[in-house]
Structures are given as structure tokens and as C-alpha cells.
Amino acid sequence: MRHANSIRISKKERLFDRTNVVIMLIICFVTLYPIWYTVILSFNDGGDAMKGGIFWFPRVFTLDNYRAVFRNSGIITAYSVTVLRTFIGTVTNVFFTAMVAYAFSKKNLFGRKVYMTLGTITMFFNGGLIPFFLLLKNLNLLDNFLVYIIPTMFNFFNLLIFMAFFREIPDSLEESAKIDGANDFVIFLRIILPLSKPVLATIALFTGVWHWNDYFFGVIYINKTSLQPIQTYLYKIVAEAGSSRMAISSPVGVSKSNITSNSIKYATMVVTTLPIVLVYPFLQKYFVKGVMLGAVKG
Amino acid sequence: MKTKLFLRLRKEKYLQMMALLGIAWIIVFNYAPMYGIIIAFKDYSIIKKISEVDWVGLAWFKEVFTDENFIPIMRNTLAISFMKLIIGFPLPILFAIMLNEIRQVKLKRFVQTVSYLPHFLSWVILGGILMAWLADVGLFNELQTMINPSHTPINYLAKPKYFWLITVFSDIWKELGWSAIIYLAAISGIDPQMYEAATVDGATRFQKIWHITLPSIKGTISILFVLAVANLLNTNFEQILVLKNALNASMAEVIDTYVYRMGVQSGRFSYATAIGLFKSIVALCLLLTANKVTKKLTGHGLY
């Protein structure tokens, strides 16, 4: 009796396991296929793609879409703005937030309670879009590359993650440096930062991805096309195509070309996403830890 | 007393300088805009200073509530938010639990890696991908024509009635795996002995999930639920702005996009600030209420 019972349970369990595996594989397919579909369209002849019927692989393979992307000076400028803002923005944000977090992590710092309260309030209240916009206008940051850097230089949530990490570093290290005559800033620079590589990498990844993907600042605070990032450039193409039927099939530039605005759009999308997909596997182990650290402390 | 404080400050002068740089940033970029909220009660114009313009009391709020656009905008905001809450909130929990039940470690890791990936794509890229599926020459229409040759292609993104569904499901597609991480972290903290004891007692897989896994992550679920309710009026601005267009605007305009359109695009700063302030006040009430109710029901809350 007992024996038969356990077999019945294991049969049920096997069914559960198999169903579970199938559902998970379906989720993976549903997640990956839309991305794959865009990639194959970017490698397909634009004119041919308009006929439809492409599902798994490019039908008329071509690199012309990519050639057109790399020949377009507007795309190149926008891409450079993105690279530049991501690099400068990430370095300044990580350095500045870590520096403030280091000072805040000192339990006996004079005024620490007031500082922390001031910061915590900002997680729940803010002035909203319009007062922020007017502030940037008064600071002459509209239509200025620095709008990508200065207003995004500090993040209170990241500060909490840094603080949690800094607390784990033994005080004795800092004390011996102090005896050698180092001041707090030198200690932060020479001792704390080199010991904090994992948390620096996590925050750098989050900040970097945000900068890379942000199109919003480019839409709201920037009018000059020479300062717009690649995501804003793409946003304008995508938003235009969404409302009009004609834009979808109208070819860009000379009519003899088989490159459509759509095929250029797909190639630009791939080129824009590629850097993220390339760094993603290397940084995965960091960000999972980072989210968990944030989850525990936040 | 005075000299003691002076000595202390001198000793920590570098730390104070580092901290005060942060405080200065917070005051300029967080507190200065909070002061700017008063233009919701003034007749602000861009050529004058805030202190120079007249007070108008609640006139702008009166205009907001009597605006014929107000009701559709509130309806769109609430409908999209509630659909995201009702469908989008439980799914990551379910996904995390099912993923945790996968016994093959390699498969588990593969599914995790794949499911996080869309979180790292921008909403603009997602807008482009959705267009490849939903436009009149897109994949969906192709498939429909294959099944039914007389099908007339529809541009789904140009039809207002599909907007809410597209918004909700594209959001789930992008964030399902990422939102599940926090639950997976909570599940991995459960003591394995509890499961072993339950196995000895003859509990089935489903019973173990129901009686051990779910109660163990109740605290995490409660906190995230409070945060989700507090963010109810924050329909994802970046997402809506990409998917919204002239044709679907009647179902797509939400508070955030309206504030942007009225304020930044049309220059009606006081009016737009009043709408923004109304939103913040409602959000604060939602946070306080959700926290109270959740705390009473589950014993867990934000504070």
C-alpha cells in the first residue's frame, strides 16, 4: 500500500515537473523571439521585407541597412552623445555618490541624522516635472550637455547600497592609514574605493544602463539635434512610424535603394542594443547581488 | 562646549566637506523644485521671478477639475495602473515560485538569464519591436492573413481600444523576470529543513508551496504591494510616451504625459504644476492607506 502510494505521488510530481519545464521554455521563447525577429529583419533587404513572410531567418540577406546606418552622420552624432554621456555620467555618479555615502556611513559624523533625514524625504516627495524643468532652465542646463551629467550625479537609493557595503569594511584598515597621516578623503580614494569593486561594478552597471537607455532627457530638456542621444533619435523615428501608415513603407533617400526607413530603424535598434547585450553576461553575477543587497537594506 | 564642537568639526573636516557636497546637491536638485511647487498657486510666467508674480489661490486647481480632459485622463491613468497592478503584480511571484521548483540547475540558470534580458532594453527599442509586431505590415497581421486570407490589416497601435492591453502586456514582457529576482532572493532565504520536514510528513509539492514558500515570502510581497499601490498614478511615463501617438491619444493620455504636454510643450507652467501636485497628494494618500491596510492584514508594512 505504502509503496503504491509513493509511486503515485512521484508520477504526479513528474507531471508537475514536466509542465513546469514546458511553461518555462515557452516563457523563454516568448521573451527571445521578438528580439530575434528584429535582428533578422535588420539583416534582410528592406524592399523584400515589406512583402512579409519572414519568420526565422533573413530571406534576402544584406548588410546594406548597416552600411546606411554607419554612413548616416545624424546617427553617428547621436551615438557619440550616448557613449559620452554614459561614460562621463556613470563615472561622476558612481564617484560622487560613493564619496557622499562614505561620509554618511561614519556613525559619529556631526549632523548625520539631519543629513539622512533630508535624503530619505527625497525618496518619497519631489517637486514634479515642471518645477524641475524650470530649475534646469534657471541653471542654464537646458540644451546643454551637462544636463545629462549634473542632475543625475547623485542617487540616494544607491547611497544606501554603498553605505551597507562600506560598513562591512573593518575600521582597523582606516585607523592604520590615519596613523600614517592620511586624511579622510585620501583614505576614501586609496583604501575604500579599491576594496569596493563589487559594489562599484553593480552601481556602475545600473547607472550605465540607465544612461545608455534614457531617451527622456533628450526629449524634454534638449532641443538641439547635435546633443540628442541615440535613444532620442530612435524615439523620433518610432513615434513617427506609430501614427502614420505612409512612413512605414516610404523609402529613405533615393528611390532606387532597397533600404526602407523600417530596415534602417531595425539596424539602428540592433546597433544601439548591442553594447548592452555584450556586457550583460559578464555583469550578471554582480547585478543579482546588487538587487538583493538593495532589497535587504531598502 | 563651543571649543569641543569646533575641535570635532576640525577633526572631521574632510568628511564634512564630502557630506556637505552631497547635501548641497540634494538641496539644489530635490528641495529647490519642492519650493517651485508654489507656482501652482500663482500666476507664473516665464519672464518674471516666482516672488514677483501674484497669488491666485486655488484657481488653477478649479480649472484642472473642470477641464473636459480631466475625466478621460484620470480614467486612462487609473485603468492602466489597475490592470498593471492586478495582472502585473502577482505574475512575478508565480514565476519566481515556478522557477524555484525547476530541478535542473542549468535550465534554471538559463531561464533566469533570458528572463532578465528585456529589462535591459530601452522602451524605445521595445516600441520599435512592438511596431514590427503590431503595425499593419507587422507579424500579427501576417499571421491573421495566413489563417484568414480576407483579413484586413489593422495597425494595432493606431487603434485606441488596444492601447491599454498593449501597455500592460509589454510592461509584463519587459519586467517579469526582473521583478521576480527579489522574490527569488526571499525564497532562497527559506530554511531547507522546513521543506524536508514537510516531505517526511508526506506533503505534496503544491502543499509545500502553499504552506511554506508563500507564507515565508509574505513580508516581501506586502512591502512590494505597498510600493506598487503608492506608485499607482505613476503610469510608466517612458513607456506611454513611446507608445502614444496622435491616433491612440484618446486612450493613451495619462497624467504624466498631460503634464508634459501642458507644461513643457505649451508653456502653461502653473496649470501643469497644479496637476502634478494633485497627483503627488493622491499618491501620498495611497501610500499611507496601503501601508495601513497591509500592516493590519499581514503585519508587514513599510514603516
Side-chain angles (χ1 to χ4, degrees):
Chain A
M1 244 344 251
R2 224 196 153 96
H3 185 68
N5 196 27
S6 78
I7 285 178
R8 209 186 48 189
I9 286 172
S10 74
K11 249 186 195 167
K12 250 188 184 169
E13 295 227 334
R14 218 177 300 151
L15 182 70
F16 176 91
D17 277 331
R18 279 192 191 145
T19 321
N20 200 1
V21 168
V22 169
I23 293 173
M24 288 297 152
L25 289 177
I26 291 172
I27 290 179
C28 284
F29 176 77
V30 170
T31 309
L32 288 178
Y33 183 67
I35 302 171
W36 176 244
Y37 185 66
T38 312
V39 174
I40 56 174
L41 286 180
S42 77
F43 282 107
N44 202 81
D45 180 275
D48 173 70
M50 276 161 52
K51 292 178 202 142
I54 300 166
F55 297 108
W56 303 108
F57 297 103
R59 186 168 49 208
V60 181
F61 182 87
T62 176
L63 290 174
D64 284 350
N65 305 324
Y66 287 91
R67 278 192 202 108
V69 167
F70 290 117
R71 241 183 270 131
N72 183 326
S73 63
I75 295 178
I76 300 292
T77 309
Y79 205 84
S80 318
V81 170
T82 295
V83 171
L84 209 61
R85 72 172 279 196
T86 302
F87 181 72
I88 301 174
T90 306
V91 171
T92 48
N93 175 299
V94 170
F95 182 79
F96 188 72
T97 308
M99 184 186 81
V100 180
Y102 178 64
F104 280 22
S105 72
K106 295 290 163 213
K107 283 214 172 70
N108 47 5
L109 184 80
F110 178 78
R112 180 176 178 274
K113 241 187 183 159
V114 178
Y115 300 161
M116 285 303 286
T117 310
L118 277 174
T120 310
I121 290 172
T122 65
M123 297 214 300
F124 297 97
F125 304 96
N126 63 65
L129 179 72
I130 302 303
F132 192 70
F133 177 85
L134 293 173
L135 171 79
L136 297 185
K137 189 178 164 57
N138 288 335
L139 294 175
N140 278 323
L141 285 172
L142 297 184
D143 257 340
N144 182 340
F145 180 77
L146 290 176
V147 79
Y148 298 126
I149 312 300
I150 298 173
T152 61
M153 205 160 115
F154 181 79
N155 183 314
F156 193 75
F157 186 76
N158 292 350
L159 174 130
L160 296 178
I161 297 178
F162 274 127
M163 274 175 59
F165 193 89
F166 293 156
R167 290 237 178 86
E168 305 295 313
I169 297 174
D171 290 341
S172 55
L173 280 170
E174 297 163 55
E175 277 156 21
S176 65
K178 253 194 184 143
I179 293 167
D180 291 343
N183 68 45
D184 287 304
F185 186 69
V186 173
I187 292 172
F188 165 70
L189 220 57
R190 295 268 182 81
I191 296 174
I192 303 300
L193 282 187
L195 285 174
S196 309
K197 277 179 196 138
V199 71
L200 291 173
T202 308
I203 305 293
L205 173 72
F206 288 153
T207 314
V209 167
W210 181 83
H211 269 291
W212 191 270
N213 281 341
D214 169 66
Y215 75 98
F216 210 60
F217 271 52
V219 171
I220 297 189
Y221 309 125
I222 297 287
N223 269 325
K224 285 186 197 151
T225 41
S226 62
L227 285 177
Q228 75 180 3
I230 188 74
Q231 303 280 357
T232 308
Y233 182 94
L234 262 176
Y235 162 74
K236 286 177 180 164
I237 303 178
V238 168
E240 216 170 83
S243 54
S244 80
R245 268 153 192 266
M246 296 314 290
I248 291 164
S249 48
S250 72
V252 164
V254 273
S255 53
K256 65 182 174 188
S257 160
N258 256 341
I259 303 162
T260 63
S261 61
N262 247 357
S263 61
I264 288 206
K265 185 175 83 192
Y266 296 133
T268 314
M269 280 162 63
V270 172
V271 171
T272 306
T273 313
L274 204 60
I276 285 195
V277 175
L278 288 180
V279 298
Y280 174 72
F282 298 102
L283 291 162
Q284 204 196 345
K285 59 176 179 185
Y286 288 123
F287 69 67
V288 174
K289 263 188 219 149
V291 169
M292 290 184 186
L293 200 61
V296 176
K297 302 288 168 188
Chain B
M1 205 44 210
K2 232 178 180 177
T3 47
K4 222 173 164 183
L5 178 64
F6 178 73
L7 281 176
R8 184 177 167 190
L9 284 177
R10 201 173 70 174
K11 207 179 123 204
E12 56 185 32
K13 66 178 176 218
Y14 286 100
L15 285 175
Q16 283 294 345
M17 278 181 337
M18 289 152 86
L20 288 173
L21 278 173
I23 292 298
W25 188 97
I26 289 175
I27 287 171
V28 172
F29 290 103
N30 287 115
Y31 287 93
M34 286 188 207
Y35 167 74
I37 289 174
I38 64 168
I39 66 169
F41 305 97
K42 286 191 164 203
D43 194 7
Y44 181 74
S45 94
I46 198 101
I47 44 170
K48 284 185 193 154
K49 278 192 180 143
I50 293 180
S51 55
E52 287 169 359
V53 291
D54 295 330
W55 292 95
V56 294
L58 296 176
W60 292 116
F61 291 90
K62 225 176 260 166
E63 198 174 327
V64 172
F65 298 131
T66 51
D67 188 332
E68 56 171 6
N69 290 321
F70 182 70
I71 296 204
I73 288 162
M74 277 311 280
R75 178 202 63 199
N76 296 343
T77 308
L78 291 173
I80 293 170
S81 299
F82 271 107
M83 281 167 78
K84 278 188 182 171
L85 189 70
I86 292 163
I87 310 170
F89 186 78
L91 279 180
I93 304 172
L94 191 69
F95 178 66
I97 290 173
M98 286 175 70
L99 194 59
N100 188 56
E101 296 293 325
I102 296 265
R103 285 171 172 173
Q104 299 89 331
V105 180
K106 269 189 184 164
L107 178 70
K108 196 169 159 181
R109 211 164 285 159
F110 173 74
V111 177
Q112 263 183 295
T113 308
V114 168
S115 68
Y116 302 155
L117 185 63
H119 172 79
F120 290 90
L121 306 182
S122 72
W123 271 113
V124 177
I125 299 291
L126 212 56
I129 291 178
L130 281 172
M131 228 151 274
W133 286 65
L134 301 171
D136 38 13
V137 284
L139 188 69
F140 268 11
N141 280 304
E142 267 187 57
L143 292 174
Q144 278 173 296
T145 315
M146 265 163 68
I147 297 162
N148 169 19
S150 60
H151 167 76
T152 352
I154 311 164
N155 183 358
Y156 289 96
L157 278 165
K159 293 267 187 259
K161 65 175 171 183
Y162 297 113
F163 189 82
W164 294 352
L165 279 178
I166 294 170
T167 311
V168 172
F169 282 98
S170 59
D171 189 54
I172 291 172
W173 183 84
K174 191 170 185 290
E175 304 297 347
L176 177 76
W178 187 254
S179 316
I181 290 188
I182 206 158
Y183 298 112
L184 282 167
I187 291 172
S188 68
I190 300 173
D191 186 354
Q193 283 185 345
M194 294 219 282
Y195 290 107
E196 283 159 25
T199 314
V200 171
D201 290 344
T204 64
R205 291 279 277 282
F206 183 74
Q207 283 171 325
K208 281 185 241 177
I209 292 171
W210 192 254
H211 294 289
I212 301 174
T213 314
L214 267 178
S216 305
I217 61 172
K218 201 173 74 177
T220 309
I221 295 175
S222 310
I223 289 172
L224 291 180
F225 185 75
V226 173
L227 288 174
V229 172
N231 276 319
L232 215 50
L233 296 194
N234 278 334
T235 42
N236 188 333
F237 196 170
E238 295 215 1
Q239 178 194 16
I240 306 265
L241 201 60
V242 165
L243 299 178
K244 194 187 92 156
N245 58 49
L247 299 171
N248 64 22
S250 62
M251 302 296 258
E253 191 88 84
V254 292
I255 298 178
D256 286 331
T257 55
Y258 192 63
V259 168
Y260 166 60
R261 200 154 65 82
M262 287 293 114
V264 177
Q265 290 186 326
S266 311
R268 301 185 61 196
F269 294 110
S270 283
Y271 180 66
T273 307
I275 307 170
L277 182 58
F278 164 73
K279 191 190 110 169
S280 305
I281 292 168
V282 176
L284 188 64
C285 296
L286 284 172
L287 173 74
L288 297 175
T289 318
N291 194 54
K292 210 168 194 176
V293 172
T294 313
K295 217 170 170 183
K296 227 171 211 162
L297 289 178
T298 67
H300 297 277
L302 264 189
Y303 47 85

